[in-house]
Amino acid sequence: MEKEKIKVSLGSLLVALGIVYGDIGTSPLYVMKAILSTNNYNTNYDLVLGGVSLVFWTLTLQTTIKYVILTLKADNNGEGGIFSLYTLLKNKTLWLSFIAIIGGAALLADGMITPPVTVTSAIEGLNIILPLKTDTIVFIVFIILSILFIFQKFGTEKIGRIFGPLMFIWFSMLGILGFKEILKYPEILKALNPYYGIHLLIIDPEKVYILGAVFLCTTGAEALYSDLGHCGRKNIYYTWIFVKTSLVLNYLGQGAYLLLHNGEYINDNPFFLIMPKHFILAGVVISTFAAIIASQALISGSFTLISEAMKLNFFPRLHVRYPNDQKGQIYIPCVNYTFYLGCLFITFFFKKSENMEAAYGLAIIVTMMMTTILLSHYIRINKQKIMWGYCVLCIFLTIESSFLYANIFKIFTGGYVTLIIAGLLIFIMYVWRYGSSIKTRYVFYKNILNYVDKFKELEADMELPLYSTHLVYLTKSKRWDELETKILFSIFNKSPKRSKYYWFVNIEVTDEPHTEEYMVKTIVPNQIFAVRFRLGFRINQGINILLRQVIKDLVANGELCYTPKSYMISDESRCTVGDFKFIILEEILSNENNLKPWDNFIMTLKLAIKKVTVSPEKWFGIDTSIVHVERAPIIICSSKEKNNLKKIN
């Protein structure tokens, strides 16, 4: 059942305009120019009429029907995106995890090119009234992108409030400018008939590569789905009516202008040519702000995707910040910096928007195809609509396959850049996912009740010094009576640890922002306890502080007998419960293992990646002065057979 927590209001509608539609909303900046480029910038009646017709029906079929009507309903507690969609299916079919990985990586890769291409296209509009050198344009784009990425730390809600009114102005401008041109050449309305798009492809089959340019009009549809958690489904429904109307009017207006100049060579961007000359400067300024918002749509969507990937164990653990109390509003510093560097590389590498357009859209069509596969499975399996699921698969996969074929031509003209980035991300996700599955084979749990006598023997062994008053282990076991074998091995075998109290802590992060709950199970009275914390996603996971509170409550209730020493200092702000020691088991790969060469390679890479990501003590907010990191082999068993070593004199 959907948890629609974001209500519809004027403010929420403006926030949706500011966050969701930046990418798809700025497509008029470059789509018609890209269509003209397929004919060497020479206008042609069939090309223009057919191109606009293809744009209209692509927006209708791909964006309106597939994403707005169908895909937005496939949410996971209000969250959207390809990983969220996979979450609804992960217990149904295992091979779908690879579909999700490919789609997510492709979307992230294509997201890196959206900020440069939109901002550059907008700034290049100045060339109509004030010719600028390419290096000057690149420098301006560099400044704008730098400011945008710095602004991310303040949260998308604040950005949406600022950008929302600007996007309303942007879409209003699109509609007005387009409508003005339509009045000059009403015949362009023929483009609403799909016949002209189909006719263009039939009379000249070689024109199929025009679909690569047409596809640019819907590249923001996937980001629209990813931003579902930021704005809510109903806000997207209502605002899309206004957005699509404005987009269609502008495309028709650009087409009308080109038909009025049929047979002419037009090298300038038709988007700016339909503006009155006295308005071009203002139009460039508004376009630049819209381009910034387009960049924001992909950035915020990428934060959501990475967050979902981490929850699914597709991606290494990264530090996530929550600028406000809405779960969809997140900020991941590492992703932000990586995207920033990637955008700068693309800007300085391609320099011109027409060069970037050649690389744009190739990876996103792969994402759309993966979403189609997942969506069809969701409809067939979760919704129990088998025939409808197959219809969705056949119809949209056929459409997207034609777009993929047209976009293949882009590989050698710049598309290889996004493919390389996507390939790298796919490999990282594969390593992390497959490495986790290898590790799962060798993670064993044992019933702690079978070791109660050993705890008593350890407590009675006075030859061992007291390791600490409170010894704490973090466990992934959600059952109070089970522990990982490596934890038991650490306590009894590897430097046996005698302690007065043993705490085995499990942490669950809830979807609510401020949940602070815990459950305690006494395994051995006044000695061994299992604690499970349920913490909201905005609660600081300072486990050492939270555990002190738990112990204070247990002492007050008489469940734990602890008397502070007379020399201990106590005040109201600090509960005196004795010293703590947290044991973090750092996983290593034993030199002696029975892994196959490929599995060994994957595990080596996974552990290497883990070393450069967030450490467990930082992730859980544990005071590093009371943490002891202990290396624990993932695979203890040896592949070597028993040797025949003999003693000689």
Side-chain angles (χ1 to χ4, degrees):
M1 217 179 147
E2 180 191 1
K3 295 166 65 176
E4 183 72 48
K5 298 180 180 180
I6 305 175
K7 297 181 180 179
V8 177
S9 65
L10 180 60
S12 67
L13 293 174
L14 285 175
V15 169
L17 282 177
I19 293 176
V20 176
Y21 298 107
D23 188 10
I24 198 168
T26 52
S27 57
L29 274 169
Y30 43 77
V31 170
M32 292 307 298
K33 182 181 177 183
I35 290 175
L36 273 182
S37 69
T38 63
N39 199 42
N40 297 320
Y41 298 101
N42 292 304
T43 57
N44 176 278
Y45 184 86
D46 289 328
L47 175 74
V48 173
L49 202 60
V52 175
S53 178
L54 290 170
V55 167
F56 172 76
W57 285 102
T58 298
L59 279 174
T60 300
L61 294 173
Q62 282 295 111
T63 310
T64 303
I65 296 179
K66 178 186 172 182
Y67 281 95
V68 176
I69 295 178
L70 295 176
T71 311
L72 286 185
K73 292 181 180 178
D75 71 295
N76 183 16
N77 291 322
E79 292 289 348
I82 190 168
F83 289 136
S84 180
L85 179 57
Y86 165 73
T87 304
L88 301 171
L89 296 164
K90 65 179 181 179
N91 296 324
K92 309 292 184 180
T93 310
L94 294 177
W95 64 270
L96 290 177
S97 62
F98 296 103
I99 298 296
I101 286 175
I102 293 171
L107 178 58
L108 290 171
D110 210 75
M112 284 190 183
I113 203 171
T114 297
V117 72
T118 51
V119 175
T120 304
S121 296
I123 300 301
E124 285 176 347
L126 290 172
N127 285 327
I128 297 178
I129 58 173
L130 180 66
L132 296 174
K133 293 183 179 179
T134 301
D135 291 341
T136 303
I137 293 176
V138 169
F139 178 74
I140 295 174
V141 173
F142 164 72
I143 296 297
I144 292 173
L145 291 178
S146 299
I147 295 173
L148 173 65
F149 280 95
I150 291 172
F151 200 34
Q152 292 302 310
K153 66 177 66 176
F154 300 108
T156 54
E157 183 182 34
K158 294 182 177 65
I159 293 173
R161 288 177 179 175
I162 296 172
F163 287 171
L166 292 175
M167 284 304 285
F168 178 77
I169 295 173
W170 165 256
F171 286 115
S172 299
M173 184 188 78
L174 291 183
I176 293 171
L177 291 175
F179 184 72
K180 173 179 68 70
E181 294 299 314
I182 294 172
L183 293 178
K184 296 179 182 178
Y185 198 90
E187 192 176 346
I188 189 62
L189 294 175
K190 289 182 178 180
L192 299 180
N193 188 336
Y195 163 79
Y196 293 96
I198 298 171
H199 177 71
L200 175 65
L201 299 177
I202 292 176
I203 61 172
D204 188 0
E206 293 184 0
K207 285 290 184 183
V208 68
Y209 56 82
I210 196 177
L211 293 175
V214 170
F215 179 72
L216 298 178
C217 74
T218 190
T219 51
E222 191 70 40
L224 179 150
Y225 179 41
S226 298
D227 281 321
L228 175 61
H230 294 70
C231 304
R233 184 194 302 167
K234 290 184 179 178
N235 285 298
I236 296 176
Y237 280 166
Y238 298 147
T239 50
W240 174 242
I241 298 172
F242 168 63
V243 169
K244 185 182 178 183
T245 302
S246 300
L247 290 174
V248 171
L249 286 174
N250 195 265
Y251 284 124
L252 290 171
Q254 290 188 54
Y257 176 88
L258 294 176
L259 289 182
L260 282 171
H261 297 79
N262 186 32
E264 297 181 15
Y265 173 80
I266 298 180
N267 191 30
D268 291 321
N269 193 337
F271 177 80
F272 294 103
L273 291 176
I274 66 174
M275 295 180 182
K277 289 187 178 180
H278 64 273
F279 184 75
I280 290 178
L281 182 59
V284 170
V285 173
I286 297 173
S287 300
T288 302
F289 278 110
I292 293 172
I293 297 166
S295 306
Q296 176 58 48
L298 262 295
I299 296 169
S300 60
S302 299
F303 291 157
T304 303
L305 280 173
I306 293 294
S307 176
E308 293 286 346
M310 289 189 290
K311 292 176 185 177
L312 291 169
N313 203 27
F314 283 168
F315 209 80
R317 183 180 287 170
L318 302 174
H319 184 59
V320 179
R321 296 179 184 175
Y322 297 90
N324 51 62
D325 289 346
Q326 289 192 16
K327 186 174 183 296
Q329 310 286 321
I330 62 176
Y331 169 64
I332 306 178
C334 180
V335 176
N336 192 54
Y337 300 144
T338 303
F339 260 64
Y340 174 57
L341 294 176
C343 289
L344 292 187
F345 167 76
I346 290 171
T347 301
F348 289 106
F349 183 76
F350 289 106
K351 293 187 177 181
K352 295 182 179 181
S353 63
E354 59 184 304
N355 297 334
M356 299 178 193
E357 289 162 11
Y360 194 30
L362 179 58
I364 197 66
I365 187 59
V366 176
T367 301
M368 288 187 171
M369 295 178 76
M370 300 303 106
T371 300
T372 297
I373 295 173
L374 293 175
L375 180 62
S376 67
H377 275 75
Y378 172 79
I379 294 173
R380 288 191 296 107
I381 299 175
N382 293 44
K383 296 297 183 180
Q384 297 294 314
K385 298 178 180 178
I386 299 177
M387 291 306 299
W388 181 236
Y390 281 119
C391 287
V392 168
L393 180 67
C394 294
I395 293 172
F396 291 107
L397 210 56
T398 300
I399 296 172
E400 289 158 358
S401 296
S402 63
F403 282 124
L404 177 63
Y405 175 75
N407 276 279
I408 286 177
F409 295 100
K410 295 183 177 182
I411 292 179
F412 303 105
T413 57
Y416 61 89
V417 174
T418 50
L419 289 183
I420 291 173
I421 297 172
L424 180 61
L425 288 169
I426 290 172
F427 184 67
I428 291 174
M429 292 185 190
Y430 168 76
V431 167
W432 198 260
R433 179 73 172 177
Y434 186 52
S436 298
S437 67
I438 296 173
K439 175 186 167 184
T440 302
R441 302 176 201 163
Y442 299 95
V443 175
F444 300 101
Y445 295 89
K446 292 189 177 181
N447 193 319
I448 192 173
L449 297 178
N450 296 333
Y451 294 83
V452 170
D453 292 340
K454 291 187 179 294
F455 277 103
K456 292 180 179 179
E457 293 175 13
L458 184 61
E459 181 184 20
D461 188 357
M462 294 303 170
E463 293 183 3
L464 293 174
L466 188 67
Y467 192 81
S468 65
T469 304
H470 301 277
L471 186 60
V472 186
Y473 283 88
L474 299 179
T475 174
K476 293 183 179 180
S477 174
K478 295 183 179 180
R479 293 187 51 164
W480 66 268
D481 58 344
E482 286 187 350
L483 278 179
E484 294 92 331
T485 304
K486 62 182 180 181
I487 293 179
L488 295 170
F489 186 84
S490 171
I491 295 173
F492 297 116
N493 290 53
K494 193 171 186 178
S495 298
K497 301 170 180 64
R498 186 168 68 89
S499 180
K500 287 188 176 182
Y501 309 102
Y502 295 88
W503 303 88
F504 303 107
V505 178
N506 175 264
I507 302 168
E508 176 191 356
V509 179
T510 69
D511 290 339
E512 300 298 326
H514 299 293
T515 304
E516 291 184 271
E517 300 173 347
Y518 74 88
M519 296 172 283
V520 178
K521 176 68 177 179
T522 301
I523 300 174
V524 175
N526 207 44
Q527 184 186 24
I528 305 174
F529 302 88
V531 182
R532 185 177 184 184
F533 288 105
R534 298 185 73 252
L535 304 176
F537 61 84
R538 277 185 57 79
I539 297 299
N540 181 21
Q541 296 181 5
I543 301 303
N544 50 325
I545 298 174
L546 296 173
L547 190 57
R548 283 180 181 276
Q549 180 62 49
V550 172
I551 294 173
K552 182 180 178 181
D553 293 345
L554 293 177
V555 171
N557 295 333
E559 298 178 57
L560 179 66
C561 299
Y562 177 79
T563 304
K565 301 296 182 181
S566 59
Y567 52 76
M568 290 183 174
I569 300 173
S570 178
D571 54 47
E572 294 182 358
S573 62
R574 190 174 183 86
C575 174
T576 304
V577 294
D579 61 295
F580 284 77
K581 200 69 175 181
F582 284 79
I583 305 297
I584 301 295
L585 298 179
E586 179 185 352
E587 298 167 336
I588 61 172
L589 192 61
S590 173
N591 290 328
E592 298 179 353
N593 60 70
N594 55 2
L595 287 177
K596 298 178 181 178
W598 178 251
D599 290 357
N600 190 75
F601 172 70
I602 293 296
M603 286 305 304
T604 302
L605 283 180
K606 184 178 188 296
L607 295 177
I609 294 172
K610 195 172 182 180
K611 287 183 179 179
V612 298
T613 54
V614 178
S615 63
E617 53 266 37
K618 289 184 179 179
W619 180 266
F620 293 111
I622 305 173
D623 183 358
T624 55
S625 64
I626 58 175
V627 172
H628 174 69
V629 179
E630 189 174 282
R631 305 181 78 186
I634 296 176
I635 302 172
I636 301 174
C637 60
S638 173
S639 62
K640 295 183 179 180
E641 297 180 358
K642 184 177 180 180
N643 58 60
N644 296 315
L645 186 64
K646 295 180 180 179
K647 179 182 178 181
I648 61 173
N649 293 328

